Amino acid sequence: MGTSPLLDRYKGIVDASLIEQIYEVARSLASVRVLHINTTARGGGVAEILHELLPLMEELGIKHDWKVIPLDEASGYFTARLVDMLQGYDTGEFPEQEKQVFLEKLRRSVRDGQEYQADMYFIHDFQLVPLAEFFPWMRPAIWFCHVDTARPNPAAQQYIRQFLDPYALACFNSQASVFKELPPEQAQVVTLGIDPFRVKNRFLPKARGMQILSSCGIDIARPLITQVSRFGVWKNPWQVIDIYRQVKQQMPCVQLALVGALEAKDDIKAQEILTDLQQHAVHGDPDIHLLSDPTIINHEAVNAFQRYSSVILQRSIREGFGFTVTEAMWKNQPVIGTCVTGLQMQIAHGSNGYLVDDTETAAAYTLQLLQDRELWRELGENAHETVRQRFLFPTMILDYLKALARAQTGLSALIEPEIVPIAISTTGKELAA
């Protein structure tokens, strides 16, 4: 195995020992062929991870392939209900009839096993968890749960749990999301991280950023509150609008942008929610901008909104991790988030952002950051440094490679991801283009 230019770009940004650990574990996995399977090639965090992960793994000498098993509309509605229950929101009866229809479709989704041949299988998210049970040749396998399962509905957890025995490992974004009954030797936390060299995250000159905002209808001479996220119940866009309205009473010139490209094929309810916001929440307010066209809201546009908005909100009801928060923090933005699993991992209240659930307090913090730009800058510098130390791509790569190594060798001892405490500094500098 040679060196990886994609990995070596991080030298001088992350600790040198992290890079060396990655090379060491990768050498033990040389020539292994890994197949990733998920439900969509575009949109959402899983697809973004895989687009970045596969080229780097190839450079490390670990062959990676990727298959997408798309869901039809009926399956999409069943799995949308399932994720509601897994995240503790829907406590109603489990939809047994829909489950049987979905599972039968999933059994028929893999028609030619030869196309799926690999040494190891990495199955993403709750939709596809039955695969290792349905296809015994799809082993050793790892299942990665990307949603917030800290407080799951018991019936939904049992649905997932019945399919986990064939998996060598079940990976979660945080320790809080690990199923309590899962044996320690079968669980691993993989801390996620962003790639700062992507178009979405790399330095964007202010003139270009303002040009993009202006082209999206934003008045760049006035303050702007933004939430970047898909249009979903869990992202709570209605509260974002309520916060904006409270702030606007004190600062009439403020604007709001809800930014989320409609491109994830497995996000069945996004259009319904966007329509509801258009019809019932906006009420003809010209200062509320609902931006969803993927031909306009590309990665450069997301960069511009996260980087040059006046204040960033993330009002999630549940969040397994929250990439949009990490991305904004990297761009020196203190985020006003909620006390959910993924955001508690990233935001230190009062130090690099705020964690608050109620509308009134969130509006008060938003107004404070709009009025006190020195405080905004101080917290933003701390936010950037937090991401540099804990949530860049190499941290995730090391945890991921450790998971592959455990699955390959059948290790029974729990390999804990290295935990680096948040040590705030204001010396971290952002990457230039």
Side-chain angles (χ1 to χ4, degrees):
M1 182 190 76
T3 60
S4 164
L6 290 173
L7 179 61
D8 287 345
R9 295 183 299 175
Y10 289 92
K11 290 181 177 178
I13 303 170
V14 302
D15 192 281
S17 65
L18 178 58
I19 304 295
E20 289 307 312
Q21 287 181 75
I22 291 171
Y23 277 122
E24 181 180 352
V25 180
R27 280 191 285 270
S28 72
L29 294 164
S31 302
V32 171
R33 184 177 179 183
V34 182
L35 176 63
H36 286 261
I37 308 176
N38 79 319
T39 59
T40 181
R42 292 279 170 198
V46 175
E48 290 199 7
I49 289 171
L50 294 179
H51 279 294
E52 300 301 316
L53 179 71
L54 270 62
L56 195 152
M57 288 298 114
E58 294 285 343
E59 290 187 352
L60 291 174
I62 308 171
K63 178 68 176 176
H64 274 58
D65 293 306
W66 178 8
K67 288 285 187 181
V68 173
I69 298 179
L71 304 180
D72 63 16
E73 185 174 1
S75 298
Y77 277 108
F78 166 72
T79 55
R81 174 75 182 279
L82 178 60
V83 73
D84 285 352
M85 299 181 79
L86 283 172
Q87 298 195 131
Y89 183 73
D90 187 334
T91 57
E93 292 295 320
F94 193 85
E96 288 291 335
Q97 183 174 352
E98 292 90 338
K99 179 191 77 172
Q100 296 303 328
V101 173
F102 168 73
L103 292 179
E104 184 56 34
K105 289 178 181 177
L106 193 58
R107 286 180 189 275
R108 300 196 304 265
S109 64
V110 180
R111 299 183 182 278
D112 183 1
Q114 291 300 317
E115 295 183 2
Y116 288 77
Q117 291 305 302
D119 300 317
M120 201 174 305
Y121 297 84
F122 212 103
I123 313 300
H124 291 272
D125 251 332
F126 54 94
Q127 299 102 322
L128 302 182
V129 66
L131 288 182
E133 176 73 28
F134 288 173
F135 306 105
W137 48 265
M138 208 177 275
R139 302 176 192 173
I142 298 170
W143 177 64
F144 200 156
C145 178
H146 293 272
V147 298
D148 184 354
T149 51
R151 294 176 293 276
N153 174 290
Q157 179 174 322
Q158 180 54 38
Y159 167 84
I160 298 293
R161 187 68 185 86
Q162 70 179 316
F163 296 115
L164 290 187
D165 286 348
Y167 286 93
L169 279 177
C171 294
F172 299 82
N173 293 337
S174 70
Q175 189 62 48
S177 287
V178 177
F179 291 155
K180 303 302 184 287
E181 299 81 6
L182 199 63
E185 64 271 15
Q186 199 183 1
Q188 181 161 331
V189 174
V190 174
T191 302
L192 300 182
I194 63 167
D195 178 357
F197 300 98
R198 297 189 68 197
V199 170
K200 184 190 292 188
N201 297 319
R202 69 191 182 198
F203 178 73
L204 182 69
K206 186 172 183 178
R208 174 59 181 159
M210 291 302 179
Q211 180 185 34
I212 292 171
L213 296 186
S214 181
S215 70
C216 291
I218 305 300
D219 182 350
I220 61 174
R222 297 159 54 199
L224 174 65
I225 301 168
T226 294
Q227 174 164 298
V228 176
S229 65
R230 65 171 66 189
F231 289 95
V233 171
W234 297 108
K235 308 305 180 181
N236 201 9
W238 299 276
Q239 192 193 45
V240 176
I241 293 173
D242 291 341
I243 291 169
Y244 152 79
R245 285 176 175 155
Q246 289 199 16
V247 171
K248 199 171 184 66
Q249 292 176 8
Q250 303 296 320
M251 185 178 286
C253 61
V254 75
Q255 306 164 91
L256 173 66
L258 288 166
V259 180
L262 294 181
E263 59 180 357
K265 300 301 183 184
D266 60 348
D267 191 2
I268 197 71
K269 294 184 177 180
Q271 185 59 60
E272 295 177 11
I273 291 168
L274 179 59
T275 300
D276 178 77
L277 290 169
Q278 291 167 335
Q279 293 178 346
H280 303 294
V282 175
H283 295 307
D285 186 339
D287 286 336
I288 299 179
H289 303 270
L290 304 180
L291 301 166
S292 63
D293 185 344
T295 64
I296 297 173
I297 303 302
N298 55 25
H299 284 183
E300 188 182 33
V302 170
N303 191 336
F305 275 97
Q306 290 176 328
R307 188 177 300 275
Y308 293 116
S309 293
S310 308
V311 172
I312 296 290
L313 304 181
Q314 187 59 56
R315 308 308 302 160
S316 301
I317 300 171
R318 296 284 189 275
E319 196 73 71
F321 182 72
F323 273 121
T324 58
V325 170
T326 328
E327 293 160 1
M329 290 172 66
W330 176 249
K331 302 175 181 82
N332 288 64
Q333 286 278 9
V335 177
I336 302 175
T338 52
C339 301
V340 296
T341 304
L343 305 195
Q344 287 181 323
M345 291 175 61
Q346 302 186 62
I347 300 173
H349 181 75
S351 180
N352 63 11
Y354 296 104
L355 292 170
V356 57
D357 291 335
D358 70 279
T359 302
E360 291 74 17
T361 310
Y365 281 128
T366 302
L367 186 62
Q368 182 181 24
L369 291 181
L370 287 170
Q371 294 174 334
D372 188 345
R373 300 310 279 173
E374 186 56 40
L375 174 64
W376 173 81
R377 276 187 288 273
E378 178 184 343
L379 298 187
E381 289 175 357
N382 293 345
H384 174 81
E385 184 64 9
T386 298
V387 176
R388 189 190 69 79
Q389 291 187 28
R390 296 187 59 190
F391 300 114
L392 291 183
F393 208 49
T395 300
M396 188 190 77
I397 291 299
L398 180 58
D399 286 351
Y400 167 73
L401 290 175
K402 286 180 177 180
L404 292 184
R406 288 185 62 192
Q408 182 191 42
T409 61
L411 291 176
S412 59
L414 179 64
I415 300 177
E416 291 286 0
E418 183 177 359
I419 299 176
V420 182
I422 297 179
I424 299 300
S425 164
T426 58
T427 59
K429 302 299 182 183
E430 187 168 351
L431 301 174

